[in-house]
Amino acid sequence: MKVAVVGAGAIGAYVGAALDRAGADVHLIARGPHLAAMRQHGVRVLSPRGDFTARVNATDRPADVGPVDHVFLGLKANSYAACGPLVEPLLEDHTTIIAAQNGIPWWYFHRHGGPYDGQRIESVDPGGTVSAVLPPERAVGCVVYAATELAGPGVVRHLEGTRFSVGEPDRSVSARCSEFSEAMRAGGLKCPVEPELRDDIWIKLLGNISFNPISALTRATMREMCRHRTTREVIEQMMTETLQVAAALGCRPAISVERRLAGAERVGDHRTSTLQDLEKGKPLELDVLLAAVVELAGTTGVPVPTLRTVAAISDLLATRSAA
């Protein structure tokens, strides 16, 4: 099995290292000092489960890799529309694109069934620009429950979690999903094939849609947001409205607002990825986390006043930070 990881940052390099341990032919697409370090020393993984080093192929030239069986996307979703030059040299007829993204994916309504089947979500696929680069028929969804960070060029620190749930848009248990799942498990990770992956998407989104924008607006950690009474109330309302949108689309995520808040508080003084991006001057990945759900609320007729308010304020923050 030949796999290319496009965007081999903390999560991408971690997955690539695990697949290498499973015997897959792995190629990491990266750039800068991180690429140079991986070329020279491989990917060094520091983990409570045991440290190891994977000697993988690393390049900034996808054309040198050629067609692969699976492309694992480790890019932020706001980079998808522009990633064509990185992805196109890797594709042949059967190539799968496995997108490890937070929030609502561009393929959400592909083979969804029901009244919204095939509908495009403008917030995540503006003008069809993402679908043109990443055809939905190639897509396999992936919800990441692992936490990693780059401790330095070529060094991934694994903090917690090893689960990468995958699933087909049409809810089938396909050969391509099973092949990737088996390789991930052979590399020491959890990778269940979930027919109802959209439920997992909403479970993960429940935290991202609330904590990420609020943290960027307040500069607060997870613990601080949970323990500030009125902020906690806003987050509870955002989560409640999100579950109502999910229900209107036929999803029943198996988690309560109370349980999600308790889990977030246990994380402690962690800064969300959106807050970290803001501090580093990077674009904020809020369209797939927040704007998309507001758009879906309009589609389904669900009132989401708190989400709309936070989305409006967050959009001004994102606009100013990009200026």
Side-chain angles (χ1 to χ4, degrees), residues 81-130:
C83 75
L86 296 176
V87 172
E88 288 166 5
L90 306 169
L91 302 180
E92 58 182 357
D93 290 345
H94 73 282
T95 304
T96 302
I97 296 173
I98 300 167
Q101 71 161 95
N102 289 323
I104 301 296
W106 83 99
W107 56 261
Y108 190 89
F109 287 123
H110 177 64
R111 297 182 178 174
H112 180 276
Y116 306 116
D117 187 66
Q119 183 168 312
R120 180 168 53 80
I121 303 171
E122 184 67 22
S123 300
V124 300
D125 189 11
T129 52
V130 175

mmCIF file of all heavy atoms in Angstrom, residues 81-130:
data_model
loop_
_atom_site.group_PDB
_atom_site.id
_atom_site.type_symbol
_atom_site.label_atom_id
_atom_site.label_comp_id
_atom_site.label_asym_id
_atom_site.label_seq_id
_atom_site.Cartn_x
_atom_site.Cartn_y
_atom_site.Cartn_z
ATOM 1 N N ALA A 81 -8.792 24.430 -1.121
ATOM 2 C CA ALA A 81 -9.069 24.934 -2.470
ATOM 3 C C ALA A 81 -7.786 25.206 -3.256
ATOM 4 O O ALA A 81 -7.795 25.158 -4.490
ATOM 5 C CB ALA A 81 -9.923 26.195 -2.395
ATOM 6 N N ALA A 82 -6.689 25.466 -2.537
ATOM 7 C CA ALA A 82 -5.426 25.800 -3.206
ATOM 8 C C ALA A 82 -4.442 24.638 -3.245
ATOM 9 O O ALA A 82 -3.294 24.823 -3.677
ATOM 10 C CB ALA A 82 -4.780 26.994 -2.493
ATOM 11 N N CYS A 83 -4.871 23.437 -2.835
ATOM 12 C CA CYS A 83 -3.906 22.338 -2.710
ATOM 13 C C CYS A 83 -3.786 21.479 -3.967
ATOM 14 O O CYS A 83 -3.104 20.448 -3.940
ATOM 15 C CB CYS A 83 -4.250 21.458 -1.500
ATOM 16 S SG CYS A 83 -5.667 20.361 -1.723
ATOM 17 N N GLY A 84 -4.414 21.896 -5.054
ATOM 18 C CA GLY A 84 -4.368 21.117 -6.283
ATOM 19 C C GLY A 84 -2.969 20.728 -6.734
ATOM 20 O O GLY A 84 -2.724 19.560 -7.045
ATOM 21 N N PRO A 85 -2.001 21.664 -6.784
ATOM 22 C CA PRO A 85 -0.649 21.293 -7.231
ATOM 23 C C PRO A 85 0.015 20.233 -6.358
ATOM 24 O O PRO A 85 0.881 19.500 -6.833
ATOM 25 C CB PRO A 85 0.108 22.628 -7.160
ATOM 26 C CG PRO A 85 -0.944 23.673 -7.313
ATOM 27 C CD PRO A 85 -2.146 23.126 -6.601
ATOM 28 N N LEU A 86 -0.387 20.148 -5.096
ATOM 29 C CA LEU A 86 0.177 19.139 -4.206
ATOM 30 C C LEU A 86 -0.482 17.779 -4.382
ATOM 31 O O LEU A 86 0.163 16.737 -4.237
ATOM 32 C CB LEU A 86 0.020 19.582 -2.743
ATOM 33 C CG LEU A 86 0.770 20.840 -2.306
ATOM 34 C CD1 LEU A 86 0.416 21.179 -0.867
ATOM 35 C CD2 LEU A 86 2.275 20.635 -2.446
ATOM 36 N N VAL A 87 -1.768 17.776 -4.699
ATOM 37 C CA VAL A 87 -2.543 16.525 -4.720
ATOM 38 C C VAL A 87 -2.591 15.883 -6.106
ATOM 39 O O VAL A 87 -2.485 14.656 -6.240
ATOM 40 C CB VAL A 87 -3.973 16.787 -4.194
ATOM 41 C CG1 VAL A 87 -4.859 15.554 -4.379
ATOM 42 C CG2 VAL A 87 -3.930 17.193 -2.729
ATOM 43 N N GLU A 88 -2.737 16.697 -7.135
ATOM 44 C CA GLU A 88 -2.986 16.144 -8.475
ATOM 45 C C GLU A 88 -1.915 15.158 -8.956
ATOM 46 O O GLU A 88 -2.256 14.124 -9.545
ATOM 47 C CB GLU A 88 -3.157 17.289 -9.480
ATOM 48 C CG GLU A 88 -4.474 18.018 -9.315
ATOM 49 C CD GLU A 88 -4.530 19.335 -10.056
ATOM 50 O OE1 GLU A 88 -3.556 19.641 -10.788
ATOM 51 O OE2 GLU A 88 -5.523 20.060 -9.896
ATOM 52 N N PRO A 89 -0.614 15.380 -8.708
ATOM 53 C CA PRO A 89 0.376 14.396 -9.175
ATOM 54 C C PRO A 89 0.272 13.042 -8.478
ATOM 55 O O PRO A 89 0.875 12.065 -8.945
ATOM 56 C CB PRO A 89 1.715 15.068 -8.845
ATOM 57 C CG PRO A 89 1.412 16.515 -8.704
ATOM 58 C CD PRO A 89 0.032 16.566 -8.132
ATOM 59 N N LEU A 90 -0.478 12.976 -7.388
ATOM 60 C CA LEU A 90 -0.575 11.753 -6.595
ATOM 61 C C LEU A 90 -1.760 10.886 -6.981
ATOM 62 O O LEU A 90 -1.914 9.769 -6.463
ATOM 63 C CB LEU A 90 -0.699 12.118 -5.105
ATOM 64 C CG LEU A 90 0.390 13.039 -4.547
ATOM 65 C CD1 LEU A 90 0.002 13.518 -3.156
ATOM 66 C CD2 LEU A 90 1.735 12.321 -4.509
ATOM 67 N N LEU A 91 -2.608 11.379 -7.878
ATOM 68 C CA LEU A 91 -3.876 10.710 -8.159
ATOM 69 C C LEU A 91 -3.807 9.803 -9.380
ATOM 70 O O LEU A 91 -3.193 10.129 -10.381
ATOM 71 C CB LEU A 91 -4.970 11.760 -8.389
ATOM 72 C CG LEU A 91 -5.224 12.764 -7.256
ATOM 73 C CD1 LEU A 91 -6.335 13.723 -7.659
ATOM 74 C CD2 LEU A 91 -5.550 12.056 -5.948
ATOM 75 N N GLU A 92 -4.454 8.647 -9.223
ATOM 76 C CA GLU A 92 -4.842 7.834 -10.370
ATOM 77 C C GLU A 92 -6.273 7.400 -10.129
ATOM 78 O O GLU A 92 -6.911 7.841 -9.173
ATOM 79 C CB GLU A 92 -3.883 6.666 -10.580
ATOM 80 C CG GLU A 92 -3.737 5.713 -9.424
ATOM 81 C CD GLU A 92 -2.704 4.634 -9.751
ATOM 82 O OE1 GLU A 92 -2.178 4.626 -10.873
ATOM 83 O OE2 GLU A 92 -2.436 3.814 -8.863
ATOM 84 N N ASP A 93 -6.816 6.561 -10.998
ATOM 85 C CA ASP A 93 -8.253 6.301 -10.968
ATOM 86 C C ASP A 93 -8.765 5.867 -9.598
ATOM 87 O O ASP A 93 -9.850 6.270 -9.171
ATOM 88 C CB ASP A 93 -8.622 5.241 -12.010
ATOM 89 C CG ASP A 93 -8.492 5.753 -13.437
ATOM 90 O OD1 ASP A 93 -8.391 6.988 -13.596
ATOM 91 O OD2 ASP A 93 -8.490 4.935 -14.370
ATOM 92 N N HIS A 94 -8.008 5.030 -8.883
ATOM 93 C CA HIS A 94 -8.529 4.447 -7.649
ATOM 94 C C HIS A 94 -8.089 5.188 -6.386
ATOM 95 O O HIS A 94 -8.451 4.793 -5.273
ATOM 96 C CB HIS A 94 -8.074 2.987 -7.523
ATOM 97 C CG HIS A 94 -6.618 2.849 -7.173
ATOM 98 N ND1 HIS A 94 -5.607 3.003 -8.101
ATOM 99 C CD2 HIS A 94 -6.005 2.596 -5.979
ATOM 100 C CE1 HIS A 94 -4.445 2.832 -7.500
ATOM 101 N NE2 HIS A 94 -4.653 2.584 -6.218
ATOM 102 N N THR A 95 -7.329 6.274 -6.517
ATOM 103 C CA THR A 95 -6.755 6.928 -5.341
ATOM 104 C C THR A 95 -7.829 7.513 -4.430
ATOM 105 O O THR A 95 -8.728 8.220 -4.873
ATOM 106 C CB THR A 95 -5.789 8.049 -5.757
ATOM 107 O OG1 THR A 95 -4.784 7.516 -6.618
ATOM 108 C CG2 THR A 95 -5.124 8.681 -4.538
ATOM 109 N N THR A 96 -7.689 7.222 -3.145
ATOM 110 C CA THR A 96 -8.596 7.731 -2.115
ATOM 111 C C THR A 96 -7.989 8.979 -1.474
ATOM 112 O O THR A 96 -6.778 9.047 -1.252
ATOM 113 C CB THR A 96 -8.799 6.670 -1.016
ATOM 114 O OG1 THR A 96 -9.306 5.484 -1.599
ATOM 115 C CG2 THR A 96 -9.753 7.148 0.048
ATOM 116 N N ILE A 97 -8.850 9.957 -1.149
ATOM 117 C CA ILE A 97 -8.419 11.132 -0.400
ATOM 118 C C ILE A 97 -9.037 11.048 0.990
ATOM 119 O O ILE A 97 -10.266 11.091 1.137
ATOM 120 C CB ILE A 97 -8.835 12.439 -1.104
ATOM 121 C CG1 ILE A 97 -8.119 12.563 -2.459
ATOM 122 C CG2 ILE A 97 -8.527 13.645 -0.224
ATOM 123 C CD1 ILE A 97 -8.595 13.725 -3.305
ATOM 124 N N ILE A 98 -8.184 10.896 1.989
ATOM 125 C CA ILE A 98 -8.631 10.751 3.371
ATOM 126 C C ILE A 98 -8.352 12.065 4.086
ATOM 127 O O ILE A 98 -7.197 12.407 4.343
ATOM 128 C CB ILE A 98 -7.915 9.567 4.058
ATOM 129 C CG1 ILE A 98 -8.214 8.274 3.298
ATOM 130 C CG2 ILE A 98 -8.340 9.451 5.521
ATOM 131 C CD1 ILE A 98 -7.334 7.116 3.675
ATOM 132 N N ALA A 99 -9.407 12.801 4.358
ATOM 133 C CA ALA A 99 -9.259 14.163 4.875
ATOM 134 C C ALA A 99 -9.447 14.175 6.385
ATOM 135 O O ALA A 99 -10.547 13.969 6.890
ATOM 136 C CB ALA A 99 -10.278 15.085 4.212
ATOM 137 N N ALA A 100 -8.352 14.421 7.097
ATOM 138 C CA ALA A 100 -8.399 14.490 8.557
ATOM 139 C C ALA A 100 -8.659 15.931 8.966
ATOM 140 O O ALA A 100 -7.744 16.664 9.330
ATOM 141 C CB ALA A 100 -7.080 13.997 9.143
ATOM 142 N N GLN A 101 -9.909 16.349 8.902
ATOM 143 C CA GLN A 101 -10.225 17.734 9.183
ATOM 144 C C GLN A 101 -11.233 17.846 10.317
ATOM 145 O O GLN A 101 -12.009 16.936 10.590
ATOM 146 C CB GLN A 101 -10.798 18.425 7.946
ATOM 147 C CG GLN A 101 -12.208 17.971 7.575
ATOM 148 C CD GLN A 101 -12.919 18.954 6.657
ATOM 149 O OE1 GLN A 101 -12.893 18.785 5.453
ATOM 150 N NE2 GLN A 101 -13.542 19.968 7.232
ATOM 151 N N ASN A 102 -11.199 18.977 10.985
ATOM 152 C CA ASN A 102 -12.239 19.314 11.945
ATOM 153 C C ASN A 102 -13.409 19.955 11.214
ATOM 154 O O ASN A 102 -13.265 20.462 10.101
ATOM 155 C CB ASN A 102 -11.694 20.285 13.001
ATOM 156 C CG ASN A 102 -10.722 19.618 13.946
ATOM 157 O OD1 ASN A 102 -10.898 18.461 14.321
ATOM 158 N ND2 ASN A 102 -9.682 20.346 14.347
ATOM 159 N N GLY A 103 -14.567 19.951 11.847
ATOM 160 C CA GLY A 103 -15.705 20.662 11.301
ATOM 161 C C GLY A 103 -16.450 19.914 10.217
ATOM 162 O O GLY A 103 -16.311 18.706 10.049
ATOM 163 N N ILE A 104 -17.262 20.660 9.476
ATOM 164 C CA ILE A 104 -18.109 20.101 8.425
ATOM 165 C C ILE A 104 -17.298 19.954 7.147
ATOM 166 O O ILE A 104 -16.772 20.938 6.630
ATOM 167 C CB ILE A 104 -19.328 21.015 8.172
ATOM 168 C CG1 ILE A 104 -20.153 21.184 9.451
ATOM 169 C CG2 ILE A 104 -20.190 20.446 7.048
ATOM 170 C CD1 ILE A 104 -20.787 19.917 9.985
ATOM 171 N N PRO A 105 -17.166 18.741 6.608
ATOM 172 C CA PRO A 105 -16.351 18.539 5.404
ATOM 173 C C PRO A 105 -17.095 18.933 4.131
ATOM 174 O O PRO A 105 -18.331 18.970 4.088
ATOM 175 C CB PRO A 105 -16.072 17.035 5.428
ATOM 176 C CG PRO A 105 -17.257 16.450 6.123
ATOM 177 C CD PRO A 105 -17.681 17.462 7.154
ATOM 178 N N TRP A 106 -16.330 19.203 3.083
ATOM 179 C CA TRP A 106 -16.915 19.598 1.802
ATOM 180 C C TRP A 106 -17.764 18.494 1.195
ATOM 181 O O TRP A 106 -18.659 18.756 0.395
ATOM 182 C CB TRP A 106 -15.800 20.026 0.855
ATOM 183 C CG TRP A 106 -15.121 18.891 0.136
ATOM 184 C CD1 TRP A 106 -15.361 18.470 -1.136
ATOM 185 C CD2 TRP A 106 -14.124 17.999 0.656
ATOM 186 N NE1 TRP A 106 -14.563 17.389 -1.446
ATOM 187 C CE2 TRP A 106 -13.793 17.080 -0.362
ATOM 188 C CE3 TRP A 106 -13.461 17.895 1.879
ATOM 189 C CZ2 TRP A 106 -12.847 16.071 -0.190
ATOM 190 C CZ3 TRP A 106 -12.518 16.895 2.045
ATOM 191 C CH2 TRP A 106 -12.225 16.004 1.025
ATOM 192 N N TRP A 107 -17.520 17.249 1.572
ATOM 193 C CA TRP A 107 -18.251 16.113 0.991
ATOM 194 C C TRP A 107 -19.509 15.760 1.790
ATOM 195 O O TRP A 107 -20.161 14.772 1.494
ATOM 196 C CB TRP A 107 -17.335 14.877 0.927
ATOM 197 C CG TRP A 107 -16.733 14.489 2.257
ATOM 198 C CD1 TRP A 107 -15.480 14.779 2.699
ATOM 199 C CD2 TRP A 107 -17.373 13.771 3.321
ATOM 200 N NE1 TRP A 107 -15.290 14.277 3.973
ATOM 201 C CE2 TRP A 107 -16.436 13.656 4.371
ATOM 202 C CE3 TRP A 107 -18.641 13.204 3.474
ATOM 203 C CZ2 TRP A 107 -16.729 13.010 5.573
ATOM 204 C CZ3 TRP A 107 -18.938 12.559 4.678
ATOM 205 C CH2 TRP A 107 -17.985 12.466 5.711
ATOM 206 N N TYR A 108 -19.896 16.567 2.755
ATOM 207 C CA TYR A 108 -20.906 16.165 3.745
ATOM 208 C C TYR A 108 -22.184 15.600 3.120
ATOM 209 O O TYR A 108 -22.725 14.588 3.574
ATOM 210 C CB TYR A 108 -21.253 17.341 4.665
ATOM 211 C CG TYR A 108 -22.113 16.915 5.845
ATOM 212 C CD1 TYR A 108 -21.532 16.481 7.026
ATOM 213 C CD2 TYR A 108 -23.506 16.920 5.763
ATOM 214 C CE1 TYR A 108 -22.307 16.059 8.092
ATOM 215 C CE2 TYR A 108 -24.282 16.497 6.823
ATOM 216 C CZ TYR A 108 -23.682 16.069 7.991
ATOM 217 O OH TYR A 108 -24.464 15.639 9.050
ATOM 218 N N PHE A 109 -22.692 16.232 2.077
ATOM 219 C CA PHE A 109 -23.943 15.773 1.466
ATOM 220 C C PHE A 109 -23.733 14.836 0.275
ATOM 221 O O PHE A 109 -24.700 14.426 -0.365
ATOM 222 C CB PHE A 109 -24.806 16.961 1.043
ATOM 223 C CG PHE A 109 -25.440 17.690 2.199
ATOM 224 C CD1 PHE A 109 -25.235 19.043 2.392
ATOM 225 C CD2 PHE A 109 -26.252 17.009 3.105
ATOM 226 C CE1 PHE A 109 -25.823 19.715 3.451
ATOM 227 C CE2 PHE A 109 -26.843 17.668 4.171
ATOM 228 C CZ PHE A 109 -26.629 19.028 4.349
ATOM 229 N N HIS A 110 -22.484 14.492 -0.027
ATOM 230 C CA HIS A 110 -22.222 13.540 -1.107
ATOM 231 C C HIS A 110 -22.747 12.160 -0.703
ATOM 232 O O HIS A 110 -22.382 11.630 0.339
ATOM 233 C CB HIS A 110 -20.727 13.483 -1.394
ATOM 234 C CG HIS A 110 -20.339 12.480 -2.434
ATOM 235 N ND1 HIS A 110 -20.751 12.578 -3.748
ATOM 236 C CD2 HIS A 110 -19.573 11.357 -2.359
ATOM 237 C CE1 HIS A 110 -20.265 11.561 -4.431
ATOM 238 N NE2 HIS A 110 -19.548 10.805 -3.622
ATOM 239 N N ARG A 111 -23.638 11.602 -1.510
ATOM 240 C CA ARG A 111 -24.259 10.303 -1.218
ATOM 241 C C ARG A 111 -24.880 10.259 0.177
ATOM 242 O O ARG A 111 -24.899 9.233 0.845
ATOM 243 C CB ARG A 111 -23.239 9.177 -1.402
ATOM 244 C CG ARG A 111 -22.741 9.060 -2.845
ATOM 245 C CD ARG A 111 -21.774 7.928 -3.022
ATOM 246 N NE ARG A 111 -21.359 7.831 -4.431
ATOM 247 C CZ ARG A 111 -20.417 6.999 -4.865
ATOM 248 N NH1 ARG A 111 -19.798 6.194 -4.019
ATOM 249 N NH2 ARG A 111 -20.095 6.964 -6.133
ATOM 250 N N HIS A 112 -25.414 11.373 0.587
ATOM 251 C CA HIS A 112 -26.035 11.498 1.895
ATOM 252 C C HIS A 112 -27.410 10.854 1.935
ATOM 253 O O HIS A 112 -27.832 10.295 2.948
ATOM 254 C CB HIS A 112 -26.143 12.988 2.252
ATOM 255 C CG HIS A 112 -26.772 13.285 3.574
ATOM 256 N ND1 HIS A 112 -28.133 13.360 3.755
ATOM 257 C CD2 HIS A 112 -26.222 13.539 4.798
ATOM 258 C CE1 HIS A 112 -28.399 13.651 5.022
ATOM 259 N NE2 HIS A 112 -27.250 13.761 5.667
ATOM 260 N N GLY A 113 -28.115 10.927 0.798
ATOM 261 C CA GLY A 113 -29.500 10.482 0.772
ATOM 262 C C GLY A 113 -30.427 11.572 1.291
ATOM 263 O O GLY A 113 -29.998 12.545 1.916
ATOM 264 N N GLY A 114 -31.718 11.421 1.028
ATOM 265 C CA GLY A 114 -32.691 12.375 1.536
ATOM 266 C C GLY A 114 -32.737 13.671 0.760
ATOM 267 O O GLY A 114 -32.145 13.805 -0.318
ATOM 268 N N PRO A 115 -33.423 14.674 1.316
ATOM 269 C CA PRO A 115 -33.684 15.914 0.568
ATOM 270 C C PRO A 115 -32.456 16.762 0.287
ATOM 271 O O PRO A 115 -32.492 17.611 -0.606
ATOM 272 C CB PRO A 115 -34.668 16.672 1.478
ATOM 273 C CG PRO A 115 -34.409 16.138 2.856
ATOM 274 C CD PRO A 115 -34.055 14.694 2.648
ATOM 275 N N TYR A 116 -31.371 16.552 1.021
ATOM 276 C CA TYR A 116 -30.187 17.385 0.829
ATOM 277 C C TYR A 116 -29.083 16.674 0.055
ATOM 278 O O TYR A 116 -27.967 17.187 -0.064
ATOM 279 C CB TYR A 116 -29.641 17.834 2.189
ATOM 280 C CG TYR A 116 -30.671 18.514 3.049
ATOM 281 C CD1 TYR A 116 -31.085 17.953 4.261
ATOM 282 C CD2 TYR A 116 -31.265 19.717 2.657
ATOM 283 C CE1 TYR A 116 -32.041 18.569 5.055
ATOM 284 C CE2 TYR A 116 -32.229 20.337 3.440
ATOM 285 C CZ TYR A 116 -32.611 19.755 4.633
ATOM 286 O OH TYR A 116 -33.561 20.359 5.410
ATOM 287 N N ASP A 117 -29.378 15.517 -0.479
ATOM 288 C CA ASP A 117 -28.359 14.726 -1.176
ATOM 289 C C ASP A 117 -27.690 15.541 -2.288
ATOM 290 O O ASP A 117 -28.363 16.127 -3.139
ATOM 291 C CB ASP A 117 -28.999 13.472 -1.772
ATOM 292 C CG ASP A 117 -27.968 12.520 -2.357
ATOM 293 O OD1 ASP A 117 -27.175 11.971 -1.585
ATOM 294 O OD2 ASP A 117 -27.941 12.355 -3.592
ATOM 295 N N GLY A 118 -26.372 15.583 -2.258
ATOM 296 C CA GLY A 118 -25.612 16.276 -3.291
ATOM 297 C C GLY A 118 -25.517 17.776 -3.144
ATOM 298 O O GLY A 118 -24.859 18.436 -3.954
ATOM 299 N N GLN A 119 -26.155 18.335 -2.117
ATOM 300 C CA GLN A 119 -26.127 19.791 -1.942
ATOM 301 C C GLN A 119 -24.727 20.258 -1.553
ATOM 302 O O GLN A 119 -24.022 19.602 -0.804
ATOM 303 C CB GLN A 119 -27.137 20.190 -0.853
ATOM 304 C CG GLN A 119 -27.241 21.688 -0.630
ATOM 305 C CD GLN A 119 -28.451 22.048 0.226
ATOM 306 O OE1 GLN A 119 -29.558 21.580 -0.025
ATOM 307 N NE2 GLN A 119 -28.249 22.865 1.244
ATOM 308 N N ARG A 120 -24.323 21.406 -2.088
ATOM 309 C CA ARG A 120 -23.017 21.978 -1.763
ATOM 310 C C ARG A 120 -23.163 22.966 -0.618
ATOM 311 O O ARG A 120 -24.099 23.757 -0.585
ATOM 312 C CB ARG A 120 -22.414 22.671 -2.989
ATOM 313 C CG ARG A 120 -21.053 23.302 -2.737
ATOM 314 C CD ARG A 120 -20.382 23.710 -4.050
ATOM 315 N NE ARG A 120 -21.237 24.553 -4.865
ATOM 316 C CZ ARG A 120 -21.405 25.868 -4.677
ATOM 317 N NH1 ARG A 120 -20.759 26.476 -3.693
ATOM 318 N NH2 ARG A 120 -22.190 26.565 -5.466
ATOM 319 N N ILE A 121 -22.229 22.940 0.331
ATOM 320 C CA ILE A 121 -22.221 23.870 1.452
ATOM 321 C C ILE A 121 -21.241 24.989 1.118
ATOM 322 O O ILE A 121 -20.031 24.785 1.046
ATOM 323 C CB ILE A 121 -21.815 23.158 2.758
ATOM 324 C CG1 ILE A 121 -22.751 21.975 3.034
ATOM 325 C CG2 ILE A 121 -21.846 24.140 3.934
ATOM 326 C CD1 ILE A 121 -22.305 21.090 4.178
ATOM 327 N N GLU A 122 -21.781 26.156 0.866
ATOM 328 C CA GLU A 122 -20.987 27.267 0.357
ATOM 329 C C GLU A 122 -19.853 27.658 1.304
ATOM 330 O O GLU A 122 -18.757 28.005 0.865
ATOM 331 C CB GLU A 122 -21.896 28.476 0.108
ATOM 332 C CG GLU A 122 -21.214 29.675 -0.524
ATOM 333 C CD GLU A 122 -20.760 29.438 -1.959
ATOM 334 O OE1 GLU A 122 -21.302 28.526 -2.629
ATOM 335 O OE2 GLU A 122 -19.865 30.177 -2.411
ATOM 336 N N SER A 123 -20.090 27.576 2.599
ATOM 337 C CA SER A 123 -19.083 27.996 3.574
ATOM 338 C C SER A 123 -17.803 27.186 3.479
ATOM 339 O O SER A 123 -16.712 27.705 3.759
ATOM 340 C CB SER A 123 -19.639 27.875 4.999
ATOM 341 O OG SER A 123 -20.780 28.669 5.167
ATOM 342 N N VAL A 124 -17.931 25.911 3.129
ATOM 343 C CA VAL A 124 -16.749 25.038 3.092
ATOM 344 C C VAL A 124 -16.312 24.695 1.679
ATOM 345 O O VAL A 124 -15.207 24.179 1.483
ATOM 346 C CB VAL A 124 -17.007 23.738 3.891
ATOM 347 C CG1 VAL A 124 -17.318 24.069 5.331
ATOM 348 C CG2 VAL A 124 -18.124 22.912 3.294
ATOM 349 N N ASP A 125 -17.158 24.981 0.702
ATOM 350 C CA ASP A 125 -16.840 24.686 -0.699
ATOM 351 C C ASP A 125 -17.304 25.849 -1.572
ATOM 352 O O ASP A 125 -18.178 25.697 -2.428
ATOM 353 C CB ASP A 125 -17.527 23.378 -1.115
ATOM 354 C CG ASP A 125 -17.076 22.872 -2.485
ATOM 355 O OD1 ASP A 125 -16.093 23.415 -3.016
ATOM 356 O OD2 ASP A 125 -17.706 21.931 -3.004
ATOM 357 N N PRO A 126 -16.731 27.045 -1.337
ATOM 358 C CA PRO A 126 -17.223 28.241 -2.032
ATOM 359 C C PRO A 126 -17.098 28.136 -3.546
ATOM 360 O O PRO A 126 -16.005 27.927 -4.070
ATOM 361 C CB PRO A 126 -16.347 29.366 -1.473
ATOM 362 C CG PRO A 126 -15.127 28.679 -0.936
ATOM 363 C CD PRO A 126 -15.583 27.343 -0.467
ATOM 364 N N GLY A 127 -18.229 28.223 -4.208
ATOM 365 C CA GLY A 127 -18.233 28.139 -5.660
ATOM 366 C C GLY A 127 -17.776 26.806 -6.209
ATOM 367 O O GLY A 127 -17.458 26.697 -7.394
ATOM 368 N N GLY A 128 -17.727 25.781 -5.362
ATOM 369 C CA GLY A 128 -17.276 24.455 -5.799
ATOM 370 C C GLY A 128 -15.771 24.349 -5.966
ATOM 371 O O GLY A 128 -15.277 23.382 -6.564
ATOM 372 N N THR A 129 -15.013 25.311 -5.395
ATOM 373 C CA THR A 129 -13.567 25.328 -5.598
ATOM 374 C C THR A 129 -12.859 24.153 -4.928
ATOM 375 O O THR A 129 -11.825 23.692 -5.420
ATOM 376 C CB THR A 129 -12.968 26.640 -5.082
ATOM 377 O OG1 THR A 129 -13.401 26.850 -3.722
ATOM 378 C CG2 THR A 129 -13.423 27.823 -5.927
ATOM 379 N N VAL A 130 -13.395 23.673 -3.801
ATOM 380 C CA VAL A 130 -12.775 22.536 -3.126
ATOM 381 C C VAL A 130 -13.108 21.234 -3.857
ATOM 382 O O VAL A 130 -12.238 20.391 -4.103
ATOM 383 C CB VAL A 130 -13.207 22.463 -1.648
ATOM 384 C CG1 VAL A 130 -12.647 21.200 -0.987
ATOM 385 C CG2 VAL A 130 -12.744 23.706 -0.888
#
